[in-house]
Amino acid sequence: MRRSRGLTAALVLSLAGAGTGIGLVLMPQASAITPPVAFTADELPTWQTNGVVWAMAQANGTVFAGGTFSAVRPPDGTAGAEQEAVNFVALDAATGNPTSCKLAFTVGDGTATVRTLVVSKDQKTLYAGGYFGAVNGTPVSSVAAIDIASCTPKAAFHPSFSATVRALAVSDDTLYAGGDFGAVEGQTRERFAAVDASTGALKPFVANVDEPGRAVEVTPDGKNVLLGGDFFTVNGTTSHALAVVDATTGKVAKTYTNIPSNSVVKDIATDDNGGFYTGNEGSGGGVFDGRIGLRLSDFSEKWRDRCLGATQAVLPYQGVLYSSSHAHDCSTEQEFPDGKRNFLLAQNTNWEGAAPAPVDGFVRSPGKLGWHPTANDGMDGTEGIGPRVMAVAEKNDVKYMWVGGEFTLINGKSQWGLTRFASTGDRGAPTTPVASAASVKPGEVQVRWRTSYDADDSKLTYRIYRNGSATPIASVSASSLEWERPQASWTDTTAKAGQTYTYRVTATDGAGNTSALSATASVTVPTAVQAYPNQVRADGAELYWRYDDTVSPYVADSSVSGNRSGLQVNAPALRQSPGAVSGSSTAMGFNGTNQQVYSDRRQTVGSSFTIETWFKTSTMRGGKLIGFGNNTTRNSTSYDRQIYMTNTGRLVFGVYNGSAKTVSTGLLETYNDNKWHHVVGTQGPGGITLYVDGQNKGTDKATSTQTYAGYWHAGGDNLANWPNRPLNNTFAGQLDETAVYPSALTQTQVKNHFDLAKAPTDTVSTVKAAEDTYINQGAPSTAYGTSTSLAVRGTSAYETYLRFSLPAAPAGQVLKSASLQVKTTTQTGAGTADQINVVPVTGTWSGAGTTFNTKPTLGTTPLGSITGVPDGSAVQNVTLDTAALSAVLGSSYSMGLTSTGTDPLWIWSSESTAADGAPQLVLTFGAK
């Protein structure tokens, strides 16, 4: 059966202007789903079976499904609406409903089943194979021909197969079959045979194999037949699981010996671009469970996908290979590690550009694309495979991907045996981004977020909103997959020193489906460079986890490139204070049992690198502080480039290059004293070196390490068989300022980091208004102390009053900057064209009792001012006089907002529930 059609879609590229700090960026294509994927991942209402669907074919907008079942029922499982369907059902491709075509495949002895379906090239005949003795009472022998127009079996077509038929393929005049049989029409035909497509007469084609045949496909030119199955020989010639034979005689044309002996070929499909593809399944060690891409020109291999997970079906369509399996480990393809099962996948049929160099003699497969409907293993009493077969049908200019198998869930919803997806109608919004923001120097804020996931859009548009504005300040495009969601970021270069900003982010797919706004990320821009984090970035950190995150499970990457964020496992304790570095940085706490952080992006690491972290612990059970491993939430099977603590509190740094090469602190040098310590491990041309608290603790000449793809871990991972292995793989204590570099830092750089962490740094205090109110000249006796909004105007007068409990300056520090932050309301005209002044309040007032008639006295010298506040609810910053506020630190202090104009300003009060709505002061303290 040919499973590829030349249906193409127009792609449209658009450029969108970005906001502050960013130029033009490429936006996602304007199609509903990210090309070259042709189908959404949104399941459509489809009738269900009460058993396994093994076979599928389509013709003229009708989908035929065969298997082992006795009835079908509506998508919602309505009681009493079930229809009899004896191992076969025909369904409308566009509605998912059964058609009037009813066929019953039965057998007198045993359980009847339909295992394969194929349609003739003229779309007039449906051929079925399996184990059955009659169709609607018409005698047959495991193969039948059905007239599609009348939905009746062709009585004259009844070749006799001695056992189950598992695969069929049809050319212009020949029907090829594969299965368990040893004879056809009483003549020896071992597991593969050919009969006349019209009469059923046996043809001279002989391709005898020694084990069952499971797949058969005719090449597009009709000259050869592709055979797949369990076999080890074809016509006496060695060829395991796959072979190419002459379409007329069955003579062997190509053999294969590079499929492992414990693996078989379950499916074969060709495309219109000179390729054919196999789906493979196996069991035991060294199994091959994935897919192979081959060339029809010479039957040679293009690439091999060695994901583990029993591939059942392959379907090439418009340059994409769709597959059904339960893939659970794609480590060899540098994708997801061993873990949860992924049942429906898509990948390009060919590499875009040059294919990579072979690894272990095989070219790695093209990477997975962003199409990821979910399923499950399936029904009780079955093999637990999940999806087993796929077909594409078209009706009314819409294309449908149909999937059958033994699953009982699709996208988390009950759906048995059958489901379908369309080429249009994408309705699923991306997940909500998890955002954070950080600033280490004046005039720059790094806004970053874990990229979202969308089941059929790998390229998403992210919009960043600042200070509550309804208009995005920037738009960024970024790619992500279900198992790889690297951090994306945008740098705001218009942020002013000493001011606090808030940011929120949304994700939008190609169809316009938009996520909810992320939670608010807040940051205060420092008035001076923060020495420690700035130096870590300047020294080239490619991963930098500061552990200042406020929500789980995202750990932000503060490196300049900012794309190696982390994921928390089992909710470590957030924002532990004080952190290792002077100032406002916080740490993360780990319980030593099941908590850790791993990087959200798979990578390889060379033999020059640096790993660095701060730690504090009193544990007597040791544990891994930082390391590299090939899994995420499960124990890695390859793991090194690691620093760990022994039970006694010694530190060990090591790599593996055929044996473990380690450097450790001395017997009396222990660091489980519940104090912050700095540890660094480096490897370079000179070997490996361990540094603790800026001092060199030892070296080894190891200049190489094993090469594998993996993830950075902090707080835990496997330590089996390493010297002085502690009781715990996981670490109990606090970690801070974890960084990874692609080169070996020098001792001078390491010592500089240690010294900078102890240097004085600015601190920031945010003080919300303790009380607020406003007065209205038009209602001179009314008090507004409980109002959710405040107003400022000159004529007729509104004045706003704010009271703050100001902190004293920290010891040895002075006030370096101060600003007042207020947020305009959502009402029309909340902004103002006039100048608003902030002045001291010298008289007394209260929220409950102050009216226009009893208003307090105001000072005449402004503390600060702002002009031209735009409409639209957004946070506004007013820079204040530092000297004036320094004089009143440590006291209760009031300030008023006044104007001489006629255009009112409306802002939220502290009684409002609006996000970021409460008026507040941002005070930055630093060294004198």
Side-chain angles (χ1 to χ4, degrees), residues 440-533:
V440 300
K441 57 186 178 181
E444 181 178 296
V445 172
Q446 183 192 51
V447 185
R448 58 275 175 102
W449 58 94
R450 187 187 186 209
T451 48
S452 298
Y453 164 60
D454 188 284
D456 44 34
D457 288 277
S458 56
K459 296 179 181 178
L460 301 174
T461 302
Y462 298 89
R463 294 182 173 86
I464 302 100
Y465 298 84
R466 188 173 76 172
N467 288 348
S469 173
T471 302
I473 192 172
S475 294
V476 173
S477 66
S479 296
S480 57
L481 296 169
E482 192 268 350
W483 52 84
E484 184 174 273
R485 295 167 58 185
Q487 178 174 291
S489 63
W490 171 78
T491 300
D492 185 351
T493 58
T494 65
K496 297 180 180 179
Q499 295 190 2
T500 295
Y501 295 87
T502 62
Y503 300 88
R504 302 182 80 180
V505 182
T506 63
T508 303
D509 67 16
N513 300 306
T514 300
S515 73
L517 281 162
S518 70
T520 299
S522 180
V523 61
T524 299
V525 182
T527 57
V529 172
Q530 294 182 351
Y532 183 89

Side-chain angles (χ1 to χ4, degrees), residues 92 112 128 152 170 177-178 311 330 361 434 602 659 695 712 771 799 831 877:
D92 185 286
T152 57
V170 64
T311 304
C330 283
V434 180
R602 192 178 184 92
S659 62
Q695 303 299 312
W712 289 108
E771 190 173 14
E799 290 180 358
N877 282 276

Side-chain angles (χ1 to χ4, degrees), residues 15-35:
L15 289 173
T20 307
I22 193 167
L24 291 178
V25 296
L26 183 65
M27 305 299 284
Q29 290 87 343
S31 61
I33 44 187
T34 302

Side-chain angles (χ1 to χ4, degrees), residues 95-453:
T95 67
N97 300 331
T99 70
S100 60
C101 178
K102 311 292 183 184
L103 297 172
F105 288 77
T106 58
V107 69
D109 183 23
T111 301
T113 184
V114 175
R115 290 302 181 109
T116 177
L117 295 168
V118 67
V119 172
S120 62
K121 289 187 175 183
D122 62 9
Q123 305 281 287
K124 293 181 179 180
T125 303
L126 171 68
Y127 297 95
Y131 178 69
F132 47 84
V135 181
N136 284 2
T138 299
V140 292
S141 181
S142 292
V143 169
I146 312 299
D147 178 71
I148 293 175
S150 63
C151 188
T152 57
K154 296 183 176 181
F157 185 93
H158 51 76
S160 176
F161 285 78
S162 63
T164 301
V165 173
R166 299 181 179 276
L168 293 173
V170 64
S171 66
D172 291 328
D173 59 2
T174 302
L175 180 70
Y176 297 89
D180 301 345
F181 52 86
V184 179
E185 291 292 286
Q187 297 189 43
T188 299
R189 294 290 189 273
E190 295 180 349
R191 286 112 185 166
F192 287 102
V195 300
D196 187 280
S198 299
T199 66
L202 183 63
K203 290 202 167 188
F205 174 91
V206 175
N208 292 333
V209 301
D210 56 336
E211 295 290 345
R214 297 182 181 272
V216 62
E217 184 72 78
V218 184
T219 58
D221 62 9
K223 295 180 179 179
N224 293 283
V225 177
L226 312 171
L227 310 179
D230 302 15
F231 52 82
F232 291 86
T233 62
V234 181
N235 290 340
T237 300
T238 298
S239 188
H240 175 53
L242 181 65
V244 184
V245 298
D246 181 88
T248 301
T249 65
K251 180 181 178 180
V252 176
K254 173 72 174 179
T255 59
Y256 297 87
T257 58
N258 61 358
I259 296 175
S261 60
N262 55 355
S263 297
V264 304
V265 169
K266 295 296 292 287
D267 193 24
I268 302 174
T270 65
D271 65 17
D272 293 332
N273 298 313
F276 74 100
Y277 309 88
T278 69
N280 304 267
E281 175 188 87
S283 61
V287 67
F288 174 54
D289 257 358
R291 293 155 290 282
I292 305 175
L294 304 103
R295 302 174 184 87
L296 285 166
S297 58
D298 59 3
F299 309 117
S300 63
E301 185 169 316
K302 297 186 294 185
W303 51 258
R304 181 171 293 210
D305 185 325
R306 291 181 288 169
C307 290
L308 296 176
T311 304
Q312 302 299 301
V314 287
L315 196 164
Y317 181 78
Q318 294 184 359
V320 173
L321 183 67
Y322 298 88
S323 60
S324 61
S325 68
H326 57 246
H328 58 87
D329 186 353
C330 283
S331 299
T332 57
E333 308 310 296
Q334 298 187 13
E335 294 170 331
F336 50 86
D338 194 15
K340 77 181 201 63
R341 292 185 167 192
N342 300 274
F343 294 92
L344 296 168
L345 299 173
Q347 61 199 122
N348 285 311
T349 55
N350 295 311
W351 277 94
E352 295 181 355
V359 177
D360 298 331
F362 301 108
V363 174
R364 183 166 52 86
S365 64
K368 306 300 183 297
L369 299 171
W371 186 71
H372 199 254
T374 64
N376 70 338
D377 290 333
M379 309 166 191
D380 292 339
T382 63
E383 294 180 44
I385 293 293
R388 286 189 174 274
V389 65
M390 315 173 82
V392 173
E394 179 179 350
K395 190 168 185 180
N396 301 327
D397 296 323
V398 178
K399 293 83 180 176
Y400 299 91
M401 167 68 78
W402 280 74
V403 179
E406 59 204 70
F407 50 83
T408 59
L409 292 174
I410 293 293
N411 292 335
K413 302 172 186 176
S414 179
Q415 183 68 33
W416 287 45
L418 285 168
T419 192
R420 63 199 176 98
F421 310 93
S423 58
T424 61
D426 182 11
R427 63 182 186 273
T431 59
T432 302
V434 180
S436 68
S439 179
V440 300
K441 57 186 178 181
E444 181 178 296
V445 172
Q446 183 192 51
V447 185
R448 58 275 175 102
W449 58 94
R450 187 187 186 209
T451 48
S452 298
Y453 164 60

